[in-house]
Amino acid sequence: MKSSISFLLPTYNCECHALVGELHRQCERLRSRLGFCYEIIVADDCSPDRSFVARNRRIESLCHVRYLVREHNVGRSAIRNVLAREARCEWLVFIDGDLQVSRPDFVESYARSSGDVVVGGVQIGGSPEAWRGNLRYRYEKSCEQAHSVGGSRRVGGRDFRTTNFLVSRAIALAVPFDEAFRRYGYEDVLFGKSLVEHGHEIVHIDNPILLDDYEPNDVYMDKTEEACHTLREFASSLQGYSRLLQCESRLRKLHVLWLMRLAFGVAGAAMRSSLVGSRPSVLVYNIYKLLYYVSRT
């Protein structure tokens, strides 16, 4: 049993007090039963909307909870390294601050897990009726099976997500996130690659965190395009760990990259317009992402 865990939550323009409250409740229950040691550290990476910082202040009244508010944004990789250094427990569980705990044994499942790197996964929630016009919801649902325990085991570390995972503090300090990743996207994939290259086995268990709130379509498209720029910047480090890079390589061998760029010039704006609308298509989204990426050269 892992008897000492730090729960680490990076936040940015999101409210996390419900997530922290449920983690705290489960940790306290486990502490009273088994003498479990824990702490919960939330690090706000200089959220532009300071109202979120103010609303999250209520977590400071809970025992074993610390709230760190950065005065300068350091980025998605660096903030996780900050949290790992701040942690005092032997084991770390990273959870994105805008998610929810839906299982009553979430904390205990991690405490009883085996392995030095353990991925719990993501549960896609929300009403299909309410979110049917949301692009991210539709995309996440289309990938749900691939991101299940069985699907994740098949790809190993090639599709690593930092959304919800446990790692020993020693490994997190020895194999830190690459702080050169300042923009959105792929810092988690490279972290998974680094773990594998350092000989650490990634264990997948059925202990998901709940994703049940989704950004508007235009915001998700902006993030998708930003991730494409990140991938272009770090393409050499991510070879073999990105489907977009694999597709681009095949298209290059077929000498048709010019045709893809032409197609994006002709149809890209119309495709994007449909994706930010009320009836987005996952197929169109995947095609747009490929065309956008190969047109960034």
Side-chain angles (χ1 to χ4, degrees):
M1 173 144 173
K2 295 173 170 62
S3 59
S4 172
I5 299 179
S6 296
F7 293 86
L8 309 178
L9 283 60
T11 63
Y12 185 80
N13 274 0
C14 71
E15 202 165 333
C16 68
H17 64 86
L19 170 59
V20 172
E22 178 58 21
L23 287 172
H24 185 266
R25 188 187 67 81
Q26 292 192 22
C27 287
E28 280 292 295
R29 187 178 62 196
L30 203 59
R31 182 178 69 85
S32 64
R33 284 175 44 215
L34 302 173
F36 178 69
C37 295
Y38 76 95
E39 65 177 350
I40 300 170
I41 309 176
V42 177
D44 181 276
D45 195 17
C46 194
S47 293
D49 187 341
R50 306 306 282 179
S51 68
F52 287 108
V53 175
R55 292 199 294 275
N56 286 332
R57 287 287 183 192
R58 72 186 77 175
I59 67 176
E60 293 179 310
S61 65
L62 299 172
C63 62
H64 308 293
V65 174
R66 283 190 283 156
Y67 187 33
L68 312 177
V69 180
R70 304 286 301 188
E71 295 303 321
H72 303 282
N73 181 271
V74 295
R76 294 166 58 86
S77 290
I79 196 65
R80 289 178 169 84
N81 290 338
V82 168
L83 282 163
R85 291 192 297 268
E86 286 284 336
R88 299 165 181 161
C89 296
E90 180 183 1
W91 298 94
L92 315 178
V93 169
F94 284 91
I95 304 171
D96 286 355
D98 57 349
L99 304 176
Q100 300 296 330
V101 172
S102 62
R103 295 197 176 189
D105 60 346
F106 178 83
V107 170
E108 187 164 356
S109 293
Y110 268 135
R112 296 191 180 280
S113 66
S114 300
D116 292 335
V117 184
V118 182
V119 176
V122 182
Q123 174 188 349
I124 307 305
S127 164
E129 183 65 24
W131 293 104
R132 63 181 177 178
N134 184 271
L135 176 58
R136 184 174 182 192
Y137 173 78
R138 293 172 69 92
Y139 177 75
E140 294 286 356
K141 289 298 288 185
S142 73
C143 299
E144 195 168 22
Q145 189 59 40
H147 292 158
S148 66
V149 176
S152 297
R153 283 173 179 161
R154 285 193 293 273
V155 299
R158 293 195 301 278
D159 197 21
F160 192 90
R161 301 177 79 178
T162 56
T163 310
N164 169 33
F165 76 101
L166 174 145
V167 62
S168 77
R169 184 172 184 271
I171 291 176
L173 296 179
V175 189
F177 286 87
D178 187 338
E179 297 187 9
F181 281 71
R182 295 280 303 177
R183 296 191 294 190
Y184 177 84
Y186 291 97
E187 79 286 342
D188 45 1
V189 178
L190 186 60
F191 181 69
K193 178 185 177 184
S194 298
L195 290 172
V196 172
E197 289 178 342
H198 282 80
H200 300 298
E201 180 185 4
I202 298 173
V203 177
H204 295 268
I205 65 171
D206 184 26
N207 192 36
I209 199 80
L210 177 66
L211 171 62
D212 65 352
D213 192 26
Y214 307 90
E215 58 266 74
N217 293 347
D218 58 339
V219 175
Y220 188 58
M221 285 301 298
D222 289 344
K223 289 169 69 174
T224 296
E225 291 170 355
E226 185 176 2
C228 285
H229 287 282
T230 300
L231 180 60
R232 176 60 67 195
E233 182 178 356
F234 295 97
S236 60
S237 300
L238 292 164
Q239 291 295 331
Y241 282 75
S242 164
R243 295 179 186 88
L244 279 180
L245 292 179
Q246 292 170 351
C247 288
E248 182 188 43
S249 178
R250 295 190 192 104
L251 292 170
R252 181 177 290 107
K253 290 177 181 177
L254 293 171
H255 305 287
V256 294
L257 282 178
W258 67 272
L259 185 59
M260 299 297 102
R261 295 175 185 131
L262 178 63
F264 182 77
V266 171
M271 294 172 71
R272 196 185 199 283
S273 179
S274 73
L275 290 169
V276 301
S278 60
R279 300 179 65 183
S281 161
V282 174
L283 176 61
V284 173
Y285 172 72
N286 287 328
I287 294 171
Y288 177 89
K289 187 162 57 173
L290 174 61
L291 296 180
Y292 185 90
Y293 179 74
V294 300
S295 298
R296 295 309 95 191
T297 56

